[in-house]
Amino acid sequence: MKPKFYLLLLSALVFSKFSQAQEGSADELFTQARTAAFESKDYPKAIALSKKALAKSPDYADIRIFLGRVYTWSKQPDSARQAFALVLTKQPDNKDAHLANSTLEFWEDNNEKALLNVNKGLTFHPTDDDLLLLKAKILNSLKKWTEANATIEELLKRSPNLTEARTLAARVRENSSKNRIGLNYDFVYFDKQFDDPWHIVSIDYSRQTKLGSVTGRVNYANRFNRNGLQFEVDAYPRISDTFQAYISGGYSNDVGVFPHYRAGFSLYANLPASFEAEAGFRYLTFGESTWSYTASIGKYYKSFWFNFRTFLTPSNDQVSQSFALTTRYYFGGADDYFSLRLGTGLSPDDPQNNVLIGNTAYKLRSNNITLGYRKAFKSLNILIINLGLENQEYRPDTKGNQLDLGIGYIRRF
């Protein structure tokens, strides 16, 4: 009997080992579970595979956190909480468990509990980008905008390449200060084209509404030895999380100093991989109407933003073209950057020179470069400085230089 008993026992052990080998190791099962969750969206299978992996390695924290995340995605918050709690009991400083646990409560609209959880994680990891970004999102949802703004500014000073954080910073500032007033002054000097410099002053007021921001603006200019006023309204209605529109209109009775009428429309799209795109038109009239069509593509990359824009203006059986490449380097929040713009041609969006569009049937050529500096201080104040140099053709084969100096101030409240 004993030989048979030992033979049966040995067979059982061999079969058990063979079965485990067939199932795979905990790491192999974890890989299968991730594939099921991310590629097939088969959450029940991912849960089953994760449980098998944990049966082999009960203290494998990464698998248990993953299991909790899958429970979260499967709308099983109680099971997710249990999984995260088991990890944090043994590893109170586990960053991923704190992040997943806080995210669960944030998604469940338990914002106070989410804030408590993320603050616990930050006691162990006070400079972690993921935890700080989640904390800013939670504070924004709780309408604690001053604290949210402080958190996001702290994050962006250390990691200015986080485009999601910069987008959130703009949204937090919109929520925290519904109103904005701005004042700008531009001094334009010509070495040949005109004897007297131009002076352009604008004051504007913006209000953040449920539909988007709306801005009213009054512009004053002294050019061609004449004074003039222009009145403008801009709106940026939000259509969805992906699309936003730009609608603009302006009027002036001082034709020549300003266009008599101006209007504009664009549709903006936030695209995957931090890309953005725009397409639209601009309309100007100085007695005769001028239509321009514009398109642009932009991209955030680390601490930089790149944008390429073109304007196409048909007239007299030809098409005038302007191109501009703009680069920003962010060194802090959404309002903290240096900018460089390289352009050719006349742009209807350029308040310094758009009065030259339509003044001649000849396609005037120009090349320009503009350096810019924008800096927020004490959170709600913004200083803007621009310096531009333009080599402008003002008659066929006759060029002159133009120097632009602009300074602006924005106050949010």
Side-chain angles (χ1 to χ4, degrees):
M1 291 292 294
K2 286 186 177 180
K4 290 183 177 180
F5 172 76
Y6 289 129
L7 183 60
L8 288 172
L9 181 61
L10 179 61
S11 298
L13 289 171
V14 170
F15 179 77
S16 175
K17 293 293 184 182
F18 177 77
S19 298
Q20 291 180 21
Q22 287 292 101
E23 287 184 349
S25 67
D27 282 323
E28 290 170 335
L29 289 167
F30 187 20
T31 300
Q32 295 172 27
R34 290 172 62 84
T35 300
F38 296 132
E39 295 184 10
S40 304
K41 305 297 181 184
D42 190 342
Y43 297 145
K45 182 179 180 181
I47 290 171
L49 289 167
S50 297
K51 287 182 175 179
K52 283 185 179 181
L54 288 169
K56 294 176 179 292
S57 301
D59 294 329
Y60 202 144
D62 287 347
I63 298 177
R64 199 170 295 278
I65 294 169
F66 173 75
L67 175 61
R69 290 185 183 276
V70 179
Y71 278 135
T72 301
W73 303 332
S74 303
K75 306 297 182 183
Q76 301 180 57
D78 290 336
S79 297
R81 291 185 184 102
Q82 185 179 11
F84 300 142
L86 285 171
V87 175
L88 290 170
T89 298
K90 295 182 179 180
Q91 301 179 17
D93 62 342
N94 190 299
K95 186 215 104 171
D96 290 335
H98 281 293
L99 181 63
N101 198 26
S102 305
T103 301
L104 165 65
E105 302 302 343
F106 179 55
W107 287 358
E108 290 293 309
D109 291 326
N110 299 323
N111 289 315
E112 293 289 356
K113 189 173 182 181
L115 183 60
L116 180 65
N117 289 345
V118 78
N119 281 334
K120 286 180 181 177
L122 286 167
T123 59
F124 296 102
H125 309 278
T127 61
D128 182 77
D129 288 351
D130 294 327
L131 290 171
L132 285 169
L133 179 59
L134 179 57
K135 181 177 180 179
K137 291 178 180 178
I138 296 167
L139 290 167
N140 184 54
S141 293
L142 288 169
K143 299 183 179 180
K144 296 182 178 181
W145 291 309
T146 301
E147 296 175 54
N149 191 59
T151 301
I152 207 74
E153 283 192 353
E154 176 189 348
L155 174 59
L156 284 170
K157 284 178 182 177
R158 189 174 51 258
S159 302
N161 59 327
L162 293 177
T163 56
E164 185 181 2
R166 194 174 300 117
T167 301
L168 177 62
R171 191 160 67 247
V172 167
R173 286 193 176 178
E174 287 178 358
N175 290 332
S176 61
S177 51
K178 299 289 186 181
N179 304 284
R180 189 187 78 175
I181 189 166
L183 180 64
N184 290 274
Y185 168 69
D186 285 280
F187 173 83
V188 185
Y189 168 80
F190 304 89
D191 66 346
K192 295 180 181 178
Q193 187 174 5
F194 301 109
D195 293 332
D196 299 306
W198 291 355
H199 305 273
I200 305 168
V201 180
S202 69
I203 184 169
D204 61 76
Y205 168 74
S206 299
R207 171 72 178 176
Q208 191 67 32
T209 71
K210 292 182 179 180
L211 298 178
S213 67
V214 179
T215 301
R217 183 181 301 106
V218 178
N219 301 315
Y220 161 82
N222 177 279
R223 41 190 166 196
F224 313 116
N225 287 321
R226 293 172 54 198
N227 297 317
L229 289 175
Q230 182 187 48
F231 304 91
E232 296 180 298
V233 176
D234 298 338
Y236 292 87
R238 285 188 298 270
I239 300 172
S240 68
D241 290 339
T242 301
F243 295 102
Q244 183 181 33
Y246 162 73
I247 304 171
S248 179
Y251 167 80
S252 175
N253 197 40
D254 301 301
V255 181
V257 181
F258 290 104
H260 191 32
Y261 297 103
R262 63 164 297 276
F265 174 84
S266 282
L267 183 65
Y268 295 89
N270 294 313
L271 304 176
S274 300
F275 278 96
E276 57 187 25
E278 176 202 352
F281 68 84
R282 305 292 186 265
Y283 169 80
L284 300 172
T285 176
F286 299 88
E288 294 185 2
S289 299
T290 300
W291 292 85
S292 294
Y293 303 92
T294 185
S296 73
I297 184 75
K299 165 70 175 175
Y300 285 98
Y301 177 73
K302 295 186 177 180
S303 300
F304 292 89
W305 176 73
F306 301 95
N307 181 272
F308 178 76
R309 174 183 294 279
T310 182
F311 281 101
L312 304 177
T313 306
S315 64
N316 299 315
D317 299 323
Q318 60 183 353
V319 177
S320 298
Q321 301 170 330
S322 74
F323 302 97
L325 176 63
T326 303
T327 302
R328 293 176 185 170
Y329 171 73
Y330 289 90
F331 56 88
D335 288 308
D336 301 317
Y337 59 79
F338 294 102
S339 65
L340 170 65
R341 180 184 179 276
L342 303 173
T344 65
L346 296 172
S347 165
D349 280 351
D350 181 0
Q352 285 79 28
N353 284 339
N354 61 13
V355 293
L356 299 177
I357 297 176
N359 279 2
T360 175
Y362 184 76
K363 286 199 300 182
L364 299 174
R365 297 177 177 86
S366 68
N367 297 294
N368 53 76
I369 179 173
T370 303
L371 299 173
Y373 172 76
R374 186 177 176 116
K375 173 66 176 151
F377 56 98
K378 293 186 178 180
S379 182
L380 299 177
N381 301 276
I382 301 169
L383 176 67
I384 305 165
I385 299 174
N386 292 305
L387 178 63
L389 177 63
E390 183 152 2
N391 184 248
Q392 173 69 55
E393 185 178 30
Y394 57 95
R395 286 196 299 267
D397 300 322
T398 305
K399 294 183 178 181
N401 293 313
Q402 172 182 331
L403 180 67
D404 303 340
L405 175 61
I407 186 168
Y409 169 76
I410 296 173
R411 169 67 183 181
R412 301 179 187 273
F413 57 99

